[in-house]
Amino acid sequence: MVKTDEKLINPNNQTAFDLHSYLKQRKNLVEEALDNSLTIKKPETIYQAMRYSLLAGGKRLRPILCLATCELTGGSIDIAMPTACALEMIHTMSLIHDDLPAMDNDDYRRGQLTNHKVYGDDIAILAGDGLLAYAFEYVAANTHNVPAERIVKVIARLGRTVGAEGLVGGQVLDLESEGKADISAQTLSFIHTHKTGALLETSVVSGAILAGASDEDITKLSRYAQNIGLAFQIIDDILDITATDEELGKTAGKDLQAQKATYPSLWGIEKSRIQAQNLIDDAIAQLTTYGEKAEPLREIANYIITRKH
Ligand code: FPP
Ligand code: MG
């Protein structure tokens, strides 16, 4: 059993919910599980390359969301941890491939050199492929005390989220839109709901599926996730303009340089901020029936809009 601080996981007590401690504690749990998930074997280079990016830090927002909704809907951290790790493996592999010279050609990610800068394009492609395949194996082989049909549901959903219906589809439209000044709000929304939103939504929903949540819960949590996903992207676009390289841990100002259509380029920074706030308000409104138990999800939504990196 994972030991957790009662104050952090039981927001029903009298102590005010402290998001900073919650995120720190959850991030530590996830880091430890990720570290244990992947040991170095032969050929060492590929395992080192996979670990290099998987353990490079990051907010671990997707795993944390998965654990949070599993608990909210009656499950435990233990049953959701393999899926939480798989979500991070998928997210990491998408970033390794996104940074390749054939796509965004980026040199820095999470404050360190990108995978291909350290290991070369060939190994970086394979490290991404290795992480993607391992994510599915990891959920199937390590999820215990959950009915098989829920695990199959989660695996099917992960597959749809990664493929042309999700990340891959969003990335293709993103690449095709580069350098085009006249991208519509609909195209931009398609890119983001697929490229970023889909994995965030699956992070939120998979925790609930593992816990055996009702369809009604899943619908509310999906809407929460769609809203925070889009708000997350709007804030990302704003930070690309307003934050420094150091704050972001990657090169700032890339969107303007690549003439990428973004929400601030369509609406301006102020209107973009207002839209993001509206989305966060709607996300939080989905949590009303859960009372104080939903405090982590509520505060994560608020954090998305105030974050600086
Ligand atoms: C970062 O976007 C990129 C993503 C969120 C995902 C990209 C998806 C792929 C490369 C497809 C991966 C392949 C599979 C099989 C899943 P960004 O470039 O806008 O943000 P950044 O500034 O952080 O790079
Ligand atoms: Mg990129």
Side-chain angles (χ1 to χ4, degrees):
M1 258 325 237
V2 176
K3 282 213 182 75
T4 45
D5 182 338
E6 189 63 17
K7 276 184 204 152
L8 300 177
I9 61 160
N10 177 16
N12 282 326
N13 66 21
Q14 297 307 307
T15 315
F17 180 72
D18 177 356
L19 182 71
H20 181 76
S21 315
Y22 175 86
L23 291 178
K24 195 168 149 203
Q25 186 250 8
R26 288 301 153 100
K27 186 174 151 154
N28 287 342
L29 285 180
V30 171
E31 296 288 346
E32 195 187 337
L34 286 173
D35 195 4
N36 292 332
S37 73
L38 192 61
T39 50
I40 295 187
K41 295 179 209 160
K42 283 199 165 48
E44 287 179 10
T45 322
I46 190 65
Y47 288 98
Q48 275 159 354
M50 287 159 76
R51 283 178 60 88
Y52 174 78
S53 293
L54 188 63
L55 303 178
K59 295 179 281 292
R60 310 304 194 188
L61 186 60
R62 293 157 188 81
I64 290 173
L65 282 168
C66 171
L67 300 177
T69 55
C70 186
E71 282 188 295
L72 176 70
T73 51
S76 68
I77 289 184
D78 289 344
I79 65 166
M81 192 56 96
T83 299
C85 289
L87 290 159
E88 195 62 25
M89 289 172 198
I90 290 170
H91 176 54
T92 301
M93 77 69 54
S94 78
L95 298 178
I96 295 174
H97 283 192
D98 179 69
D99 289 335
L100 284 166
M103 297 206 217
D104 284 359
N105 195 17
D106 269 312
D107 293 351
Y108 289 95
R109 170 73 65 185
R110 291 173 168 171
Q112 63 177 30
L113 283 171
T114 44
N115 199 286
H116 66 273
K117 280 276 159 190
V118 178
Y119 295 96
D121 297 359
D122 46 4
I123 296 297
I125 292 168
L126 292 166
D129 294 344
L131 282 170
L132 181 58
Y134 191 48
F136 288 91
E137 179 191 341
Y138 202 68
V139 175
N142 294 287
T143 308
H144 304 298
N145 305 317
V146 177
E149 66 267 25
R150 290 188 203 159
I151 304 176
V152 171
K153 234 181 184 175
V154 165
I155 292 174
R157 185 150 185 148
L158 283 174
R160 199 174 70 231
T161 301
V162 169
E165 294 272 334
L167 266 74
V168 168
Q171 180 77 348
V172 169
L173 200 57
D174 192 22
L175 293 170
E176 287 177 355
S177 304
E178 230 171 82
K180 291 185 188 159
D182 56 346
I183 296 300
S184 65
Q186 283 94 320
T187 303
L188 199 55
S189 157
F190 183 97
I191 292 171
H192 294 314
T193 51
H194 289 71
K195 202 181 74 169
T196 347
L199 191 59
L200 275 172
E201 187 176 343
T202 290
S203 304
V204 165
V205 169
S206 58
I209 293 174
L210 290 167
S214 66
D215 288 349
E216 200 188 322
D217 280 333
I218 304 256
T219 304
K220 282 186 209 155
L221 292 171
S222 290
R223 185 157 162 187
Y224 164 86
Q226 287 160 7
N227 284 320
I228 65 165
L230 193 49
F232 186 87
Q233 189 58 51
I234 296 174
I235 298 298
D236 225 51
D237 287 355
I238 295 175
L239 287 175
D240 188 73
I241 300 169
T242 60
T244 62
D245 290 6
E246 290 69 36
E247 280 169 326
L248 295 183
K250 60 183 183 183
T251 317
K254 289 273 298 184
D255 295 344
L256 262 180
Q257 218 176 52
Q259 292 181 293
K260 263 194 182 178
T262 63
Y263 288 102
S265 75
L266 274 183
W267 300 329
I269 292 186
E270 261 333 287
K271 188 172 167 208
S272 300
R273 268 195 222 286
I274 294 168
Q275 295 281 17
Q277 186 63 59
N278 290 341
L279 289 162
I280 294 299
D281 293 345
D282 188 293
I284 291 173
Q286 303 311 312
L287 306 173
T288 317
T289 50
Y290 303 109
E292 288 195 10
K293 265 200 307 186
E295 211 52 11
L297 290 184
R298 239 175 246 123
E299 287 306 316
I300 288 171
N302 282 323
Y303 160 75
I304 280 173
I305 199 141
T306 52
R307 76 197 169 97
K308 300 275 178 283
H309 57 86

